[in-house]
Amino acid sequence: MTLLALLALAALALWLLYQGKGFLAWVLPIGLGLTFWSLRGGPLWAVSLCAVPFVAAAVLFGLPALRRSLVTRHVMRIMAPIFPKMSDTERTALEAGTVWWDAELFSGKPRWKKLLEFRRPGLSERERSFLANEVEEVCRMVDNEWVDAHGDLAPEVWQYVKEKGFMGIIIPEEYGGLGFSAEANSAIVTKVSSKSITLGVSVMVPNSLGPAELLLHYGTDEQKKHYLPRLADGREVPAFALTEPGAGSDASAMVSQGIVCRDQFEGEEVLGVRLNWNKRYITLAPVCTLLGLAFKLRDPDHLLSEEEERGITCALVPADMPGVETGRRHDPLGIKFLNGPTTGEDVFIPMSYVIGGKERVGQGWRMLMDCLSAGRSISLPGLAVGAAQITTRTVSSYGLVREQFGTPIGRFEGIEEPLARIAGRTWLMNSTRSLTAAAVAVGEKPSVISAIVKAYMTEAMRDVVNDGMDILGGAGIARGKRNVLGRMYQAIPIGITVEGANILTRTLIIYGQGAIRCHPFAFTEMEAARARDLVAFDRAFFGHMGFIASNAARSALLALSGARLATAPVAGPSAIYFQRLSRLCASFAIASDAAMALLGGALKRKERVTGRLADCVAWLYMGSACLQRFVEEGSRESEVPFLRWALDTACYEVQEALDAFLRNLSNRPAAFALRLLIFPLGRPFSPPSDRVASQVARAVLEDDELRERLTRDIHLPADEEVGLSALDRGREAMIAAHEPRKKLRDAVRAGKLPRDGERKVLDAAVTEGVLSMAERDSIQAALDAQERLIQVDSFDPEAYLARCGA
């Protein structure tokens, strides 16, 4: 057999593997090779010696019934003890929510047309009207300085929030709520958070994981009819008590307890639960009237069933019941939202207070995980995007107003660098937020994706606001009315910590859930082995083997071809990025399978490994969201630099995470082999180039239409003396005076006017005919605005001491 024939057969095998034809990929090339060898006069004995085991193997692996009998049952017996053991808590968390685009990313071969065919429902006219009127009005009502001084929203703001339905955004209209979509909920949170973190948290919490959400999905009809109207109009102020001193991110470690017993309630003996709890970090707890409570339920007297340990259960506890303690407050980094501890001692509630009644006893963990899968997709991503957009708006104005060495600081390359990161990340974040909210709006509860957006959006908020503070310098440090970003900066650790700390979310949850739940075969294999289902295990195991081989071939071929073998669903500037993400998906899939195979059950304790693989899937998802948005919105030419910045960043981050995975893999021969499949020609991706970064920075400074689109979701305050609207007016004044100031400086350089500073030569410039009176007034207005806007707040001693006591 000639070398050319061998190469042709090898190429055929690779191509069939690339196409996902695992069985044909070895049967067809070997069969053709033996046939070719025989026809070319190969010795009959040698051909037969090779053909007999080949035919036997083809029959054995090609006939499922025979394969199961002779191969699969032994494989299942060997594999069953290797698969990681799952506790009931882990299984519940794993099965919670739904799988959506994350499954495509784990497949190694994402179907891009499926993503591009997805259509965001969009906001209804009623939702748009609410955003344009009630939301804008409540934002105008909030005075952040007043909130800082008094420790809460003003009473009239709380009254407006309740009267206008902000407490019942997610509650259906039939129960007196607004009945808005997840997209509207996200948009509302984004806008109110951009004005006030206190307002944002106060609005988002009643509409996230808590009594209303739990009642909607799991409450009895009687509970819904009683509580939902009262929650919707603010007669009941809800809080949900989950976290406690010994159980933070690991909520399953809670020690708060309920004992099933009989006792007196409203004059008669009833079956109920005696509760004891000690919770902390509970938002709205200091003022709540209705406390949602998670606790572990025990039934020592077997009043419900023979089972004593009933598991985590959720109940509604009126805050005025004997034994309930609320009112104390934490001080979360000086951000004045209502948050505090609550305790309960021997609080007896009837069984009807358990959410869902007796039938839902012990189902609390599943209820929490299901609701968290949707809730995490909305609240904190919305808050993070609000902070990012307000930062973008602020620095794009300040970059033109503030000058050093006679030049707006936004024109310096040193400022362009963080400015590009701010604008690029803001575009990326909003693409991700809006796609995820739209998925929830159509019924998805994407548990893995919700963890991604919670963790990576709040981390991106940290990066954006930090860069913004660097650009503002002292103007970002000195607190007072003029400081637009100070409170955003204070709030950064709050978003990063709540609803599952980001460290835990990244290292345990995202990949830990995704590797099993989103994988096309892994969970089925584990469940089939556990159930001793030979047919299901056979189908999953050999499907998995073909899946690994296919992704190995795809990863190598796409890497060697520079991703050009991958098909792009559209032409234009986004096409290459569809191809690159296809390549990286295949590389991620083979790395993921290698991690599971090499580390087995120990993988969930290798948190550096799972964290890096979480980085891969997170950036693949965020990159996908950017591509979907760019194509859906018409592939605007003005947004091409933003697309390139976001996708160059995403590809680079995935690459670096894969490289770190390979460098630190303890099995070095396996790491070497994987590197040949993933990076056979080295690491090709780089962060955004200086050219792309400059295009992004200049666009956000100069392109008014693009800047408006980039910050369209935030509240823009009415004209005010200081703050964001004043900065915007100052920016407009600086832009209007740009050409007249250029004429003035040219005249000074030419010797027509003295070098006495712009203010001093304005009148002379008019006399000499350098400027018209209108141009002179334009420069004067710009310089006046500049002088006013670069000031920071200061206080006399008495006023400062009063602030310290706030």
Side-chain angles (χ1 to χ4, degrees):
M1 188 177 296
T2 66
L3 178 62
L4 185 61
L6 287 173
L7 289 174
L9 292 173
L12 174 62
L14 276 174
W15 184 249
L16 288 169
L17 282 175
Y18 183 87
Q19 296 297 330
K21 311 295 183 183
F23 183 72
L24 284 178
W26 66 274
V27 170
L28 189 57
I30 294 175
L32 288 174
L34 289 171
T35 303
F36 180 77
W37 188 19
S38 175
L39 293 175
R40 291 294 298 268
L44 180 61
W45 66 270
V47 173
S48 300
L49 188 64
C50 295
V52 169
F54 163 69
V55 172
V59 171
L60 175 63
F61 289 100
L63 296 176
L66 184 63
R67 182 179 68 215
R68 288 195 293 269
S69 176
L70 298 179
V71 178
T72 309
R73 64 189 184 92
H74 300 294
V75 174
M76 188 171 75
R77 178 172 50 81
I78 295 169
M79 294 294 293
I82 297 175
F83 288 130
K85 300 292 188 295
M86 281 192 292
S87 67
D88 290 340
T89 299
E90 289 175 315
R91 183 178 300 278
T92 298
L94 187 66
E95 293 174 348
T98 61
V99 173
W100 184 55
W101 183 249
D102 40 347
E104 297 292 324
L105 302 177
F106 274 88
S107 76
K109 191 178 181 181
R111 294 170 291 175
W112 294 113
K113 286 186 178 179
K114 174 184 175 182
L115 182 64
L116 296 187
E117 288 168 359
F118 175 78
R119 288 291 175 265
R120 307 172 195 220
L123 303 182
S124 67
E125 283 302 316
R126 186 165 152 266
E127 290 168 341
R128 292 182 187 278
S129 173
F130 190 83
L131 276 164
N133 295 289
E134 285 85 351
V135 177
E136 287 290 337
E137 178 59 25
V138 78
C139 288
R140 283 191 289 267
M141 292 174 69
V142 174
D143 180 341
N144 283 314
E145 289 289 300
W146 193 98
V147 171
D148 281 350
H150 294 83
D152 191 11
L153 298 172
E156 61 269 21
V157 176
W158 270 116
Q159 187 64 28
Y160 188 86
V161 164
K162 294 175 181 180
E163 287 179 355
K164 297 301 180 180
F166 284 88
M167 308 288 280
I169 292 171
I170 65 170
I171 296 175
E173 289 183 82
E174 64 184 286
Y175 296 110
L178 295 176
F180 284 170
S181 67
E183 285 182 291
N185 189 7
S186 178
I188 292 167
V189 170
T190 300
K191 182 165 285 192
V192 296
S193 298
S194 72
K195 173 58 187 280
S196 165
I197 296 293
T198 301
L199 177 62
V201 172
S202 300
V203 168
M204 75 169 67
V205 167
N207 297 288
S208 184
L209 177 62
E213 179 85 0
L214 292 168
L215 284 168
L216 280 171
H217 295 288
Y218 308 106
T220 64
D221 287 341
E222 291 77 14
Q223 289 171 341
K224 291 177 182 178
K225 290 175 183 176
H226 176 74
Y227 285 114
L228 289 177
R230 299 172 64 84
L231 288 166
D233 63 19
R235 282 176 288 165
E236 298 281 10
V237 176
F240 190 75
L242 177 61
T243 304
E244 54 190 57
S249 297
D250 179 14
S252 64
M254 70 176 67
V255 297
S256 296
Q257 183 174 259
I259 303 294
V260 179
C261 61
R262 291 186 176 278
D263 206 338
Q264 293 292 316
F265 184 79
E266 295 183 350
E268 60 181 288
E269 185 180 280
V270 298
L271 181 66
V273 181
R274 187 166 302 283
L275 295 164
N276 287 276
W277 71 84
N278 178 20
K279 303 286 189 176
R280 65 180 183 182
Y281 309 147
I282 311 305
T283 299
L284 296 184
V287 296
C288 77
T289 61
L290 184 64
L291 187 66
L293 185 71
F295 57 93
K296 287 184 176 177
L297 183 66
R298 296 182 62 243
D299 185 11
D301 297 327
H302 307 293
L303 298 175
L304 295 176
S305 71
E306 292 303 311
E307 188 178 0
E308 183 170 329
E309 301 293 336
R310 300 306 303 264
I312 294 175
T313 301
C314 296
L316 298 174
V317 183
D320 60 359
M321 291 190 75
V324 178
E325 292 289 339
T326 60
R328 295 181 63 82
R329 292 183 64 172
H330 300 306
D331 184 359
L333 286 176
I335 301 298
K336 302 301 193 293
F337 64 92
L338 293 159
N339 182 276
T342 173
T343 61
E345 184 175 353
D346 290 334
V347 179
F348 180 77
I349 61 170
M351 196 59 67
S352 61
Y353 283 19
V354 172
I355 296 176
K358 284 194 295 186
E359 290 72 20
R360 292 289 184 180
V361 160
Q363 297 183 26
W365 187 241
R366 179 56 182 261
M367 292 156 62
L368 295 173
M369 290 300 98
D370 273 338
C371 291
L372 198 59
S373 296
R376 272 193 308 208
S377 302
I378 304 299
S379 300
L380 291 170
L383 183 148
V385 168
Q389 290 193 12
I390 207 77
T391 303
T392 298
R393 188 97 183 180
T394 299
V395 297
S396 59
S397 288
Y398 193 78
L400 291 180
V401 170
R402 179 66 164 161
E403 293 182 340
Q404 293 286 273
F405 310 106
T407 302
I409 63 170
R411 305 295 183 189
F412 287 91
E413 285 192 359
I415 298 296
E416 274 191 352
E417 192 172 3
L419 184 55
R421 290 196 298 264
I422 290 168
R425 279 199 178 96
T426 299
W427 191 86
L428 180 150
M429 291 167 69
N430 205 28
S431 301
T432 306
R433 175 199 68 85
S434 56
L435 177 65
T436 308
V440 176
V442 298
E444 297 290 343
K445 291 185 177 181
S447 57
V448 173
I449 288 174
S450 71
I452 288 172
V453 294
K454 185 275 162 182
Y456 288 80
M457 294 299 95
T458 53
E459 290 292 342
M461 171 186 170
R462 178 183 356 222
D463 294 336
V464 167
V465 176
N466 277 340
D467 276 335
M469 293 289 283
D470 285 349
I471 292 174
L472 293 183
I477 295 170
R479 294 176 62 193
K481 287 188 174 182
R482 290 176 171 83
N483 190 330
V484 182
L485 297 188
R487 293 179 186 86
M488 298 294 182
Y489 182 77
Q490 288 174 260
I492 288 170
I494 299 170
I496 284 169
T497 301
V498 300
E499 290 191 0
N502 283 3
I503 291 175
L504 173 136
T505 302
R506 173 180 174 267
T507 58
L508 290 180
I509 295 176
I510 294 172
Y511 182 76
Q513 287 188 342
I516 298 174
R517 184 74 190 279
C518 301
H519 194 286
F521 301 104
F523 190 55
T524 306
E525 285 174 297
M526 293 171 61
E527 291 296 279
R530 185 174 68 90
R532 301 185 183 278
D533 186 336
L534 188 62
V535 173
F537 182 82
D538 175 81
R539 191 183 304 114
F541 179 78
F542 285 98
H544 195 167
M545 294 303 100
F547 175 78
I548 292 172
S550 176
N551 278 322
R554 284 177 55 78
S555 178
L557 290 174
L558 289 173
L560 290 168
S561 68
R564 290 177 180 83
L565 286 176
T567 56
V570 295
S574 62
I576 185 61
Y577 292 111
F578 282 107
Q579 294 173 312
R580 289 175 181 176
L581 287 192
S582 290
R583 170 202 168 162
L584 289 169
C585 277
S587 297
F588 163 68
I590 193 64
S592 174
D593 271 309
M596 288 192 286
L598 294 170
L599 297 173
L603 179 58
K604 65 182 180 180
R605 295 186 296 275
K606 299 292 185 181
E607 292 162 26
R608 291 187 181 91
V609 173
T610 55
R612 290 165 185 143
L613 294 173
D615 291 340
C616 291
V617 70
W619 282 101
L620 287 170
Y621 176 69
M622 292 186 284
S624 300
C626 292
L627 287 170
Q628 194 273 345
R629 171 190 177 176
F630 182 77
V631 173
E632 184 178 76
E633 294 187 354
S635 303
R636 294 187 183 98
E637 183 66 27
S638 62
E639 295 193 10
V640 169
F642 291 82
L643 173 78
R644 289 176 175 153
W645 190 96
L647 269 297
D648 286 347
T649 299
C651 291
Y652 177 75
E653 292 289 347
V654 177
Q655 170 189 272
E656 294 305 286
L658 287 170
D659 179 62
F661 166 75
L662 295 172
R663 281 189 287 108
N664 291 280
L665 197 61
S666 56
N667 188 322
R668 298 316 299 158
F672 177 78
L674 285 169
R675 190 171 288 277
L676 290 179
L677 295 174
I678 294 172
F679 299 125
L681 303 178
R683 291 176 291 156
F685 303 119
S686 301
S689 66
D690 290 349
R691 179 170 170 270
V692 168
S694 291
Q695 290 173 341
V696 170
R698 289 172 186 169
V700 79
L701 288 175
E702 300 170 0
D703 188 334
D704 286 346
E705 182 182 349
L706 184 143
R707 180 173 177 265
E708 291 298 320
R709 285 202 306 272
L710 193 60
T711 60
R712 64 192 171 195
D713 302 299
I714 61 174
H715 168 70
L716 298 177
D719 288 349
E720 56 189 8
E721 184 180 347
V722 295
L724 182 58
S725 67
L727 277 172
D728 273 357
R729 292 199 310 277
R731 175 182 180 273
E732 293 166 2
M734 299 301 289
I735 291 172
H738 177 71
E739 288 301 323
R741 292 181 78 196
K742 185 175 182 297
K743 290 168 64 175
L744 186 67
R745 289 168 179 170
D746 288 344
V748 170
R749 279 193 290 269
K752 295 180 181 179
L753 297 170
R755 296 178 179 272
D756 291 338
E758 288 179 287
R759 287 184 182 277
K760 293 183 178 180
V761 300
L762 284 176
D763 291 335
V766 174
T767 301
E768 295 295 328
V770 174
L771 298 174
S772 68
M773 184 58 71
E775 290 173 323
R776 180 246 182 241
D777 291 343
S778 172
I779 295 175
Q780 183 70 58
L783 295 177
D784 289 345
Q786 182 184 61
E787 183 176 1
R788 184 173 62 254
L789 292 170
I790 63 174
Q791 305 303 317
V792 298
D793 293 291
S794 61
F795 310 92
D796 60 42
E798 292 78 13
Y800 180 75
L801 289 174
R803 290 177 63 84
C804 291

